[in-house]
Each structure stands twice: as C-alpha cells, then as structure tokens.
C-alpha cells in the first residue's frame, strides 16, 4: 500500500553523544517511526541547546512527519526554523494531549493568573484545577505548563530512489540573557536500505531469490559514510527494516547473470542477463489499492514506487494466493448473461494488455498469479480495470498504443492481481 504521511512517530537516539561546553558532535541520530496504534502519545527527543553549530545527521528510513523538541526553549526569543532539500520544517506549539511527557511540570492558576498549585504532572494539574473549580463553582482555574516548550515538526519526503537523499534544518534564536544570536544546524537524511553485496552475488550465482527479510538490509547512508574497510561493522551498518535496493555496485558484480528479487513473500522480479552498466534499482512494491472514480469502484492499482530503468529483459510475477472466484466477486461480475469478460491491464496510464477470461471454463477455486514482461523500461505502476479509461476532452487518449502490446500475458496472470486486491480489501 502507498505510504501515508502524518503518522505517529517515535524518535530513538541510536549512537552516543559527545558534549562539550561549547558544542555537540554527533554522527547519526536515527529517527524511527512508532508503530503503536490508538491514542498513544507521540514521543519526543530533545534537540541540543542552541549554543553552537553542530555536525549532526538525522536519518529516517521512511518519509513522513517527525517531531523534535528544542531543549531549554525558554532561554531564547525569536526562535525560527528553516529547511532545505528533502525536508520541510516548522515550529509548532506544545500540547500535552498529543505529545508524551518530557519531564515538564504544570501549575494551576486562578482568574488573576496567580499560581495556586505548582510542580504538578499534567494529570495532577488537571485534577487539581477541576477540584478547585468544582469547590468554588467557577471555571477560571486553568492548567499551564511551567516551562516554555517549542517543537520542531519535520515533514520528510518519501525516497524511492536507489540511494539516500539529503536535506537540512536550521534553528535560530536570540539568548534572552545576553542578546547573543545562536543557532543549530542538522542534516536530515532520507535513507534507503540496500541488499548486502555478497548476498546479491550469492543469489545470482546459486539461482535463488534475493529475499527482503527484516534485518538483512544495509543503510546506504552509513555505508557511504563508513565504507567497507577497517570501519566496516555489520551491526552498525545493518538497517532495521526490509532491503529494497540492489545497488549499482552489486549489479556490476553479477553482470550477465540472472537475478531474482523477492519484493515481498508473494511478489518476484526476475531480471535476465543483467546488462552492463545497470544502475541501482529500488524494488519497493505497493498494492493492491481500490481505484474510486465518481465515488464508484472501477478497479485496482499496484506496482513499484521506483522509476529506475531495468535495462535487461525482466518478468514480474505476483502470487497473491487467491482464487478466480474472489476476482469475480471483487468486480461484481455477473456471469449469468455473459461468461466471457475482458480485463484491461494499464501500465503507467496506458493500456498494455487486454485479457479475456471465460468464467464458465476456468476453475473458480484455482489460485491465480500475474506475470508482466518488460525490457529497458521501469518496473512500472499498474491498474486493472473492466473498462479502458476515457480521455478527458482535449487530452491524449491514454489507450494510444494499446495494440503495440509488449508480449501477451496469460489471462491467469492478470486475473490474480484483481483477486489479490479483493482479498486485501475484504480483510
């Protein structure tokens, strides 16, 4: 499925920090998404106090929204944040109903703004304010935070390329006590996880699938920074997550051989006779999502996020583990009057294949799969529909080239995509 932005995130401090009186030096802080669901509060990690220019890299493995809190924000005025590259940043207000506690305390104030209780936790302060309002039958007792808290919200672009991408943030302010201008600067890295070089060579040499299992991938950023020489340390370079990228270097090592990449447990890409000069490819897959037009279901979309070209001939095989019956149910096909149904497979918006399925002769209980062929092109983004899309007035007909189909895929193959979508959606 396509990744959604604005998810609840947690920030994990991955490497040790060396702090001096004047500055902080830190190689990498990994920002890791919090997978907890429900109403759990967003956890925050502190940025250092703004007393110098820093050489720090924040690394994220997924695009989305991340949060940091400025340490000792109350010491500054005129705080501002700027950003470049793959990250956008802004300052947002503290909200104890949204963010997990960072050790702050609260007070209860009366109608004059005077503190009538101090040094409380947020829950204690809420209970105290309610008790005082109930006792006096008033509403003016309020909860206030005793510290000034400012949060930096980062929105990092998705990275479906074959290498890491960079951005940066800079926070500026003025020390209230001295009037001195201060700042802190940090790199933000949108990382990708690459298959380990020797594992790629082994898969090609032994004609086995290169499987994207948790923990087997390596951080492209850390590998680029630390290399494979004396600094090589698998425990440091390995990324938590799924490898999605075969690097240019790895392709060079298996030139002329076949390579099978398991994008996930059921979906495979087979590249035949890896071409000389093949650049890195990101095999991250999405699907199957409903296509809704004019509030009506018209089909499913699925495919690969990356737009890198595979120079050699390749096949994409999807094995969703579902049946023809589930396909028929997903599209609501009525076979009593018309047993034979045409399905349109679109690649990148244009009709690539027209598939005819006879539901009276096919075994409805049979599992299905899809095979898509290509050469010197992208892995592609696909749609499966019962009707070809109609071009809007003044637009080029998206069906142009429908007759120049690159290989005819068996009906069995295409049908599987729809069935997989159906089951996924029903779940």
């Amino acid at each position: 499925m396509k990744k959604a932005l604005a998810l609840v995130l947690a920030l994990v401090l991955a490497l040790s920090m060396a702090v001096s009186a004047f500055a902080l030096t830190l190689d990498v802080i990994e920002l890791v998404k919090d997978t907890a669901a429900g109403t759990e509060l967003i956890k925050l990690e502190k940025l250092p106090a703004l007393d110098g220019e820093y050489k720090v890299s924040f690394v994220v493995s997924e695009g989305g929204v991340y949060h940091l809190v400025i340490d000792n924000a109350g010491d500054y005025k005129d705080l501002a944040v700027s950003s470049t590259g793959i990250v956008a940043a802004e300052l947002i207000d503290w909200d104890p109903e949204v963010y997990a506690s960072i050790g702050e305390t609260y007070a209860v104030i009366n109608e004059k703004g005077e503190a009538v209780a101090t040094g409380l936790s947020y829950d204690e302060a809420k209970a105290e304010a309610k008790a005082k309002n109930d006792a006096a039958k008033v509403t003016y007792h309020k909860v206030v935070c005793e510290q000034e808290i400012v949060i930096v919200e980062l929105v990092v672009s998705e990275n479906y390329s074959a290498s890491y991408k960079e951005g940066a943030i800079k926070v500026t302010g003025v020390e209230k006590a001295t009037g001195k201008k201060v700042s802190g600067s940090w790199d933000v890295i949108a990382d990708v996880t690459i298959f380990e070089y020797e594992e790629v060579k082994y898969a090609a040499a032994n004609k086995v699938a290169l499987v994207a299992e948790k923990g087997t991938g390596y951080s492209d950023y850390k590998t680029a920074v630390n290399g494979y020489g004396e600094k090589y340390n698998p425990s440091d370079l390995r990324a938590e997550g799924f490898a999605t990228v075969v690097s240019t270097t790895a392709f060079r090592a298996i030139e002329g051989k076949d390579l099978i990449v398991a994008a996930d447990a059921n979906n495979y890409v087979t590249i035949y006779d890896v071409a000389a000069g093949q650049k890195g490819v990101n095999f991250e897959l999405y699907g199957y999502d409903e296509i809704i037009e004019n509030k009506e279901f018209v089909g499913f979309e699925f495919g690969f996020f990356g737009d890198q070209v595979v120079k050699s001939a390749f096949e994409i095989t999807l094995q969703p583990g579902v049946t023809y019956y589930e396909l028929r149910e997903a599209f609501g096909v009525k076979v009593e009057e018309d047993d034979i149904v045409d399905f349109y497979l679109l690649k990148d918006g244009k009709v690539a294949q027209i598939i005819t399925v006879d539901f009276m002769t096919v075994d409805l209980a049979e599992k299905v799969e899809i095979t898509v062929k290509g050469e010197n092109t992208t892995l592609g983004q696909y749609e499966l529909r019962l009707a070809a899309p109609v071009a809007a007035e003044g637009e080029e007909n998206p069906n142009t080239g429908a007759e120049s189909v690159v290989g005819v895929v068996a009906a069995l193959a295409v049908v599987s995509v729809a069935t997989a979508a159906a089951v996924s959606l029903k779940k």
Side-chain angles (χ1 to χ4, degrees), residues 264-268 288 317-322 368-370 416-417 420:
D264 61 23
N266 299 308
N267 304 296
Y268 298 82
Y288 306 91
T317 303
L318 300 101
Q319 300 173 323
V322 293
V368 294
E369 72 177 33
I370 177 172
S416 69
V417 177

Side-chain angles (χ1 to χ4, degrees), residues 298-299 331 333 341-344 384-388:
V298 296
F331 278 89
V333 174
V341 180
D342 287 336
F343 290 90
Y344 291 81
L384 186 69
R385 296 171 175 253
L386 277 178

Side-chain angles (χ1 to χ4, degrees), residues 194-211:
I194 58 176
F195 288 101
E196 201 273 329
Y197 178 77
E198 287 294 333
E199 290 176 3
V200 176
K201 290 172 60 180
Y202 179 88
N206 292 276
K207 301 185 185 302
V208 297
L210 188 62
V211 181

